[in-house]
Amino acid sequence: MLPPELLRVVFQFVADVECRAGAHGQLPLERYQNELESGYKQIETKRSLLLVSRTFHKFALELAWSWISILSEERVQKIDALLKQGLQSKIVDEDGKLAIYNPSHWIRRLDIRYHFLAGTYGGESPMLNTIVRIVRSCPRLNVLVTDFAVGGVDCQRTSPLILDTIKQLDITRLDFAGHEGPSLIDYIDLIHHLPNLEQLTTGRIAEPRMEEDKLVDAIRRLGYRPSPGDETLKEEQVALPPLLSWPQLSILHFSHRPLLSSLRLFLHIHLPNLKILYMRNVHLDAFRVGVFFKHVGHQITHIYTTDIRTYDEPFGYARVLQLCPNLVHLTFSPRQDERHAERWEHRHLASLGLRGVLPQTLPKDEELVGNISRWLEKFLARVVDACLDEGLPSLRLIRIEDDGLAPRRMMSRYGASWEGICRRAGVALEDKNGRIIPDEAEEMLLSGLQLDYTEATDVGDPGILSRPVTTARVTRKLIRWLNKVSIS
């Protein structure tokens, strides 16, 4: 048996409350859902560890509480009651006494999803006060994800009760994943209270039209002064050094709506460590987007988007590569037009992620399916030619991120041709999950046909708060039959 110190270190790798490996390349809703699924997959592991031995139970109990997802009103009440009472463990401590453990000290990540009825999101709401009490009772919290929706409201300003609670935390990741988010003024306060924040999802910035004067006044009080008599950001002001800084923020995830309202604030903020940027649409001809990339483009190493749009040369990805000289990874959706046919040229780009290149449903027309494959071959050939001509000397990986049964069947059928093109330049071709195309095509098909049903209602506590997990798998006979079916 390993000593307790080593067991604690080993158990830390069982549950990844940050889910960093699965976060890249996904937009807020996709990433949040995939992280919950990742937590579900850890349930059986945690339950098994709890039952191994008394020593394992002691550390696995802490592990089980490290990530709590509260996805219903029932869970809100149950978690609140458990945290109030503390948890009496069956483990005897070093002095031979029955130890009383407070699980709130073990919670490192807290996900809260709740739909408030219209008019029940105010300070008098019992449910809101219960949620605030739960958050405040977690002194070692590292990650907080809120997914709130309010009936009849598409963009709700985060409650002052929630914001005041967040300001008291020392967290490294904060995600507003629902239909709510802080206002621009609220964010100025958060910057001062969360200097160690490393990752942020902005949420839906509330009151975009009402905050302009207050925003400018707040920034002016911090020492950033617009031109006299002109309260709008001008091109010549880009060179002015912003005094408002978020020093540790390295991952910034802009919610899709409203993007430009978010940029109104972040154009004034110094982000010295920003490396990874998520933005659904990169429209570089939009003034605020263009200015933001002029501010931070030189330090960005990873960009994840679905659409890169420009109306002037250089088009599309060529403009991004120009604005981001230190870019290492780019995920985007190529367009089937000449604006995404410019020469690839970048010294540091090491990997590409392609999304939207394969259909989610296979067309019945065989010729159309072939045309899709031939277009992708043409795109890959253009990238490979740039590698051979020293335009992309560092590129080593291309990843097709389209997932589902139809894309996997196309990878199985056409993947050898795509991989042959990439092999000319020594570039690996993989699917979304890092599996080689097409050598693992059969395994991908099997994976696509495997159905996992999870009945658990709480990710973080498999031993106490979750119902059993069952898995339904398709039969071998069905798999063999599907492998014989033509792609049409």
Side-chain angles (χ1 to χ4, degrees):
M1 178 72 67
L2 293 174
E5 296 78 10
L6 290 181
L7 278 178
R8 186 182 298 275
V9 174
V10 172
F11 281 16
Q12 289 177 357
F13 292 93
V14 176
D16 178 17
V17 298
E18 293 283 354
C19 288
R20 294 185 182 274
H24 296 336
Q26 298 166 352
L27 300 173
L29 184 58
E30 299 171 353
R31 185 185 64 179
Y32 181 50
Q33 186 62 40
N34 285 352
E35 288 183 356
L36 290 182
E37 293 174 1
S38 173
Y40 287 144
K41 292 176 182 178
Q42 299 171 6
I43 291 176
E44 283 297 333
T45 302
K46 295 176 181 179
R47 182 182 289 114
S48 299
L49 291 173
L50 283 167
L51 301 176
V52 170
S53 67
R54 180 176 296 180
T55 302
F56 268 53
H57 186 276
K58 177 180 179 180
F59 293 104
L61 194 62
E62 181 176 347
L63 172 67
W65 279 91
S66 64
W67 179 0
I68 299 296
S69 288
I70 305 175
L71 309 179
S72 66
E73 181 175 355
E74 178 186 359
R75 288 297 169 191
V76 172
Q77 303 297 345
K78 190 167 187 177
I79 293 294
D80 183 46
L82 287 172
L83 294 182
K84 282 181 179 179
Q85 298 170 4
L87 186 64
Q88 182 169 335
S89 172
K90 297 180 180 180
I91 303 173
V92 178
D93 62 14
E94 297 177 356
D95 299 327
K97 299 179 181 179
L98 191 64
I100 303 299
Y101 292 95
N102 188 342
S104 65
H105 293 269
W106 295 333
I107 299 176
R108 294 168 51 210
R109 170 168 176 164
L110 186 60
D111 295 17
I112 306 177
R113 176 195 293 171
Y114 192 78
H115 188 281
F116 291 87
L117 298 178
T120 63
Y121 189 61
E124 302 300 324
S125 167
M127 181 57 60
L128 184 62
N129 282 276
T130 302
I131 291 174
V132 168
R133 184 165 57 247
I134 292 174
V135 177
R136 287 179 177 173
S137 66
C138 303
R140 300 179 182 177
L141 196 65
N142 291 333
V143 179
L144 177 62
V145 180
T146 65
D147 184 0
F148 296 150
V150 181
V153 180
D154 182 61
C155 183
Q156 174 67 44
R157 181 176 180 178
T158 302
S159 167
L161 284 176
I162 297 291
L163 291 174
D164 290 342
T165 302
I166 292 175
K167 294 173 188 177
Q168 301 173 24
L169 303 175
D170 185 18
I171 55 179
T172 58
R173 174 178 167 184
L174 175 61
D175 288 351
F176 295 100
H179 288 235
E180 45 84 37
S183 69
L184 300 181
I185 295 299
D186 295 332
Y187 263 117
I188 292 179
D189 288 337
L190 289 177
I191 291 172
H192 288 290
H193 288 87
L194 302 176
N196 298 319
L197 194 70
E198 299 175 4
Q199 182 172 339
L200 172 70
T201 298
T202 59
R204 299 195 177 186
I205 304 296
E207 307 172 12
R209 297 183 179 180
M210 300 175 61
E211 297 289 346
E212 187 67 28
D213 295 339
K214 294 182 179 179
L215 175 66
V216 173
D217 289 341
I219 293 175
R220 182 183 290 113
R221 287 195 299 270
L222 292 170
Y224 188 104
R225 289 177 169 77
S227 302
D230 191 352
E231 307 295 348
T232 59
L233 184 68
K234 298 297 184 181
E235 187 75 33
E236 58 269 16
Q237 291 177 257
V238 174
L240 293 177
L243 299 182
L244 192 59
S245 177
W246 219 330
Q248 302 300 323
L249 192 67
S250 60
I251 303 176
L252 181 56
H253 204 144
F254 285 107
S255 297
H256 180 47
R257 294 188 303 170
L259 170 63
L260 296 183
S261 295
S262 304
L263 288 174
R264 287 171 52 209
L265 174 65
F266 284 92
L267 284 174
H268 297 279
I269 299 176
H270 183 44
L271 305 170
N273 287 312
L274 184 63
K275 302 295 182 184
I276 301 175
L277 182 65
Y278 296 83
M279 188 181 292
R280 183 183 293 271
N281 297 316
V282 179
H283 294 178
L284 291 169
D285 287 326
F287 174 71
R288 287 175 181 162
V289 177
V291 172
F292 181 76
F293 270 85
K294 289 181 180 179
H295 271 305
V296 302
H298 65 283
Q299 62 194 56
I300 296 296
T301 60
H302 295 70
I303 293 178
Y304 300 92
T305 184
T306 57
D307 185 25
I308 302 174
R309 187 175 302 177
T310 57
Y311 300 108
D312 298 319
E313 296 184 355
F315 294 115
Y317 56 78
R319 178 85 66 87
V320 171
L321 298 181
Q322 185 182 80
L323 291 172
C324 304
N326 295 309
L327 194 66
V328 174
H329 175 86
L330 173 64
T331 289
F332 76 116
S333 179
R335 287 171 167 253
Q336 299 186 33
D337 58 32
E338 294 303 316
R339 288 181 294 177
H340 277 191
E342 294 198 1
R343 171 178 167 77
W344 286 85
E345 190 168 2
H346 197 279
R347 291 183 57 83
H348 303 291
L349 190 67
S351 59
L352 273 177
L354 307 179
R355 53 172 53 194
V357 294
L358 300 179
Q360 291 301 309
T361 303
L362 285 178
K364 295 183 179 180
D365 187 346
E366 187 79 15
E367 183 178 357
L368 181 56
V369 176
N371 288 339
I372 295 173
S373 176
R374 284 187 287 274
W375 170 81
L376 183 55
E377 289 178 2
K378 183 179 179 181
F379 179 86
L380 293 174
R382 187 181 301 116
V383 176
V384 169
D385 289 342
C387 295
L388 296 174
D389 295 339
E390 298 299 323
L392 296 173
S394 302
L395 188 67
R396 295 294 179 267
L397 173 64
I398 297 178
R399 178 169 293 163
I400 298 177
E401 298 191 355
D402 297 314
D403 199 15
L405 182 57
R408 290 173 184 176
R409 294 179 68 183
M410 287 200 68
M411 293 177 194
S412 178
R413 180 169 180 177
Y414 297 105
S417 175
W418 306 338
E419 193 275 337
I421 295 173
C422 296
R423 192 190 315 127
R424 293 193 291 119
V427 176
L429 184 65
E430 297 181 353
D431 76 339
K432 180 179 181 180
N433 299 309
R435 292 174 292 206
I436 299 172
I437 301 174
D439 293 347
E440 300 179 8
E442 183 177 354
E443 288 81 359
M444 286 188 287
L445 277 175
L446 296 179
S447 175
L449 296 172
Q450 180 175 318
L451 305 177
D452 292 331
Y453 297 99
T454 304
E455 296 180 357
T457 55
D458 193 284
V459 175
D461 188 11
I464 301 171
L465 304 177
S466 299
R467 296 193 293 271
V469 178
T470 60
T471 303
R473 301 179 184 276
V474 296
T475 64
R476 293 181 180 275
K477 183 177 179 180
L478 178 59
I479 295 173
R480 288 196 298 269
W481 177 81
L482 285 171
N483 285 335
K484 295 178 181 179
V485 178
S486 65
I487 196 166
S488 61

